[in-house]
Amino acid sequence: MEQNAHVGHRRIDDTAYEFTVWAPKPKSVELELLDSTPRRLPMDAIGRGLYRLRVDDVKAGNRYQFVLNGDIRRPDPVSHFQSESVHGPSTVVDHDAFRWTDHGYTPPPFGALVIYELHVGTFTPEGTFAAAMLKIDYLVELGVSAVEIMPVAAFPGERNWGYDGVFPYSVHQAYGGPDALKAFVDACHSRGMAVIMDVVYNHLGPEGNYLRDFGPYFTNHYHTPWGDALNFDGAGSDGVRNFFLQNALHWLGLYHIDGLRLDAVHAIYDQQPIHILQELAQVVSSYGKACGFSPYLIAESNLNDPRLTSPLDTHGLGMDATWSDDFHHSVHTLLTGERNGYYMDFGSIDHLGTAVRDGFSYQGEYAPSRDHAVGAPCRESPATAFVNSIQTHDQVGNRIGGERLAGLVGFESLKLAAGLLLVTPCIPMLFMGEEFGEDHPFHYFVSHTDDRLIEAVRKGRAREFKSFKWKGTPIDPQAESTFIDSKLDWSKTCTGNHAILLEFYKRLLQLRRALSTLSWPQKNGLEVTALRGKNVLAVVRQNELASTLGLFNFSTQEQIIDAASLSPTSNAIKILDSADPVWSGPSAQAPNIIADGITLPSRSMVLYHGEKK
């Protein structure tokens, strides 16, 4: 099957739609239209498991489904909207009807991105795209340049993280459906902000997953922690590969999405000579060249493999960047003291220094939690190949209590972590609410309708937490209260230290944009020194015009640093001090001009900047 074989429905003219489905498993396929004039129409087999039919009197909003072998009724695998539920019929969408206003918009260069990860359902009290649109000005004023939306593919029930999606082409109805997402993207573009869609190409959810009735979408040769692995390299895999390649183009083309974040690519198994990720990068690159821009591709992986972001012409997989869990884990362990689970692999200032300098802490070294070596050298990878964070939906929601960092450490530690994140050269990503110190939990939540599946999810969560030895009983992911408790409390942005932290983030992001040393992620001119005995990290960013020195004290004790030897310029002046009372700090002890001895209060950071003569 050709990689551009179109599946799904599309409008041919004002009165006609064409329906195409890949269904090599059943012996016959009929299209059943449920509105206007209800009827069943046999579809034409056109080869390689494809069936197609043109119907002249179909309108947007009409419902339809496929009838397999004369009696099995199923929604369209490529449904663009499940207006009733994942178990109901599919709904015809006229994508030409939406009036875009983003003509001439160009996404920011990848290296200029500051990403803000959000979950539509918990980002606002209403949990819709329409409500999220009202926060776009807030995000622009904060200083982020891209929003990354957790998966919106249709899932069972009303609430879910999105990783149980079963219709990868359909926008979940509780969020507002297709036009609501388009309106949100259009509004973001009007303010110069990009939109990145989180997509799941390693598995599909269990409830409402009818793909097995159509073809060999899944394989028993591999397994994932979340469900059957997708068949990217076995018999019939051409159709499966096409399904997901076309899905990427679906979001980029019909929804004007600027890039994709690919969930857990280490669980995408493919032994074909051209890996599905390579093929995806090729397809997306070709699309971008035709449209005059370069869509972003960001991968999540726990392998620490620099080949993931190596260019296609060097036999790499062609992703723009990958999440660096090592940076998060290094910061987290130093601030919280946690050493259970995978956190046992971290805990030293050296781990953090290596992650800041290179991208990964583990580059072939033995990792105790896995009992084997992890990663490969990545010092030659560009800074833009890594997305760093101090909180994500995974690292917060996969805790037994869903605690955010603000629920685990004090106010000074929050400022320290924010300063390091936004001064270091990799692409920074904030998790919604982080910027004002949201201390509401963010839990894992679902709303399945199958009692056996609900119980299996509960037991599965309990098993996941065992290695961390957390005390207490896991929150019930099925309970509606679990979802409601995970919503942001926006009133905090105007009160006490929450408001001060928000202003601190804004100031950091202003400096990141304004200073030539910080405004572009690059390893050239980067010097990282881990002061082991003091638990202090010194980070120098410099170019031919200026230099910036950041000192980050992760110790619980006051430390005195000989910073003059660390700074390339002697005329550097202090431009930010987290200990300053203006930031509700204990006292600003660091001098205004860089000196031989700089006193850093515990859990504080200070930033110096100087122009070169």
Side-chain angles (χ1 to χ4, degrees), residues 336-538:
T336 66
E338 293 184 3
R339 297 293 187 275
N340 294 325
Y342 45 69
Y343 290 135
M344 72 173 64
D345 298 337
F346 300 87
S348 77
I349 198 72
D350 287 316
H351 285 129
L352 180 57
T354 303
V356 170
R357 184 193 65 212
D358 297 345
F360 295 134
S361 302
Y362 282 84
Q363 303 175 44
E365 295 81 8
Y366 173 80
S369 72
R370 306 195 206 188
D371 194 21
H372 63 76
V374 172
C378 64
R379 187 171 293 187
E380 299 305 314
S381 299
T384 53
F386 306 94
V387 173
N388 283 350
S389 61
I390 55 176
Q391 298 185 65
T392 69
H393 74 273
D394 269 328
Q395 304 305 336
V396 176
N398 284 325
R399 298 179 61 86
I400 193 169
E403 303 97 336
R404 292 168 173 269
L405 193 59
L408 298 172
V409 303
F411 183 61
E412 300 307 313
S413 292
L414 295 179
K415 290 183 289 180
L416 168 61
L420 181 63
L421 173 68
L422 296 174
V423 167
T424 49
C426 299
I427 304 293
M429 185 180 75
L430 315 182
F431 181 53
M432 61 177 194
E434 165 190 325
E435 72 280 6
F436 61 84
E438 173 63 273
D439 47 12
H440 269 189
F442 181 76
H443 298 295
Y444 176 76
F445 43 81
V446 297
S447 53
H448 293 304
T449 62
D450 184 319
D451 290 340
R452 290 177 298 177
L453 179 58
I454 293 169
E455 188 58 28
V457 170
R458 288 171 177 152
K459 291 180 178 178
R461 295 293 288 176
R463 284 194 301 271
E464 288 180 26
F465 297 139
K466 283 186 177 180
S467 66
F468 287 91
K469 300 178 182 178
W470 285 314
K471 296 180 180 179
T473 302
I475 300 294
D476 182 5
Q478 181 72 16
E480 185 178 9
S481 59
T482 302
F483 168 69
I484 294 173
D485 289 346
S486 300
K487 289 178 178 284
L488 294 184
D489 180 359
W490 286 96
S491 68
K492 293 174 182 172
T493 60
C494 304
T495 61
N497 281 349
H498 295 290
I500 292 172
L501 185 62
L502 177 58
E503 292 305 312
F504 189 74
Y505 266 84
K506 288 181 180 179
R507 178 60 178 153
L508 281 165
L509 287 165
Q510 287 170 353
L511 291 172
R512 188 178 177 91
R513 293 192 302 272
L515 299 182
S516 64
T517 51
L518 304 183
S519 60
W520 193 258
Q522 57 184 353
K523 292 181 178 178
N524 291 338
L526 170 68
E527 297 177 10
V528 180
T529 305
L531 305 175
R532 296 185 183 90
K534 298 179 180 292
N535 235 21
V536 171
L537 194 71

Side-chain angles (χ1 to χ4, degrees), residues 249-264:
L249 298 179
H250 171 82
W251 295 119
L252 298 175
L254 297 180
Y255 290 90
H256 293 201
I257 296 295
D258 302 295
L260 304 174
R261 181 266 188 186
L262 310 174
D263 178 64

Side-chain angles (χ1 to χ4, degrees), residues 116-408:
Y116 189 94
E117 185 192 22
L118 64 85
H119 177 272
V120 179
T122 55
F123 182 54
T124 64
E126 300 84 355
T128 64
F129 279 115
M133 283 177 61
L134 302 178
K135 298 296 184 183
I136 291 175
D137 286 346
Y138 164 88
L139 295 175
V140 172
E141 291 168 7
L142 172 61
V144 302
S145 53
V147 292
E148 180 179 305
I149 305 170
M150 288 174 64
V152 302
F155 51 76
E158 297 296 306
R159 54 191 183 273
N160 196 290
W161 271 17
Y163 300 96
D164 290 316
V166 289
F167 288 94
Y169 289 74
S170 175
V171 180
H172 188 63
Q173 54 85 19
Y175 299 156
D179 281 357
L181 171 56
K182 292 175 186 175
F184 177 78
V185 173
D186 200 46
C188 286
H189 288 175
S190 73
R191 296 303 311 275
M193 192 160 56
V195 180
I196 299 168
M197 180 67 71
D198 193 340
V199 293
V200 184
Y201 293 165
N202 54 58
H203 79 288
L204 277 84
E207 183 178 348
N209 183 348
Y210 299 111
L211 292 184
R212 287 179 181 81
D213 294 325
F214 289 86
Y217 279 90
F218 304 96
T219 177
N220 293 324
H221 290 124
Y222 315 108
H223 300 280
T224 81
W226 317 285
D228 291 343
L230 290 158
N231 173 27
F232 287 120
D233 60 5
S237 60
D238 287 357
V240 182
R241 296 170 77 94
N242 182 69
F243 180 88
F244 288 98
L245 295 173
Q246 291 299 308
N247 183 258
L249 298 179
H250 171 82
W251 295 119
L252 298 175
L254 297 180
Y255 290 90
H256 293 201
I257 296 295
D258 302 295
L260 304 174
R261 181 266 188 186
L262 310 174
D263 178 64
V265 299
H266 52 269
I268 295 176
Y269 303 102
D270 182 12
Q271 296 298 318
Q272 293 273 33
I274 299 178
H275 192 280
I276 184 63
L277 292 180
Q278 290 176 303
E279 192 170 3
L280 175 66
Q282 292 169 347
V283 168
V284 168
S285 176
S286 296
Y287 173 84
K289 289 177 181 177
C291 297
F293 80 107
S294 298
Y296 320 128
L297 285 176
I298 301 171
E300 179 200 17
S301 172
N302 66 9
L303 300 179
N304 288 16
D305 186 353
R307 290 176 299 181
L308 190 63
T309 56
S310 297
L312 292 171
D313 58 10
T314 64
H315 305 291
L317 296 181
M319 303 292 104
D320 291 297
T322 181
W323 280 17
S324 176
D325 283 346
D326 286 15
F327 178 87
H328 170 275
H329 297 348
S330 296
V331 172
H332 186 91
T333 51
L334 285 169
L335 291 180
T336 66
E338 293 184 3
R339 297 293 187 275
N340 294 325
Y342 45 69
Y343 290 135
M344 72 173 64
D345 298 337
F346 300 87
S348 77
I349 198 72
D350 287 316
H351 285 129
L352 180 57
T354 303
V356 170
R357 184 193 65 212
D358 297 345
F360 295 134
S361 302
Y362 282 84
Q363 303 175 44
E365 295 81 8
Y366 173 80
S369 72
R370 306 195 206 188
D371 194 21
H372 63 76
V374 172
C378 64
R379 187 171 293 187
E380 299 305 314
S381 299
T384 53
F386 306 94
V387 173
N388 283 350
S389 61
I390 55 176
Q391 298 185 65
T392 69
H393 74 273
D394 269 328
Q395 304 305 336
V396 176
N398 284 325
R399 298 179 61 86
I400 193 169
E403 303 97 336
R404 292 168 173 269
L405 193 59
L408 298 172

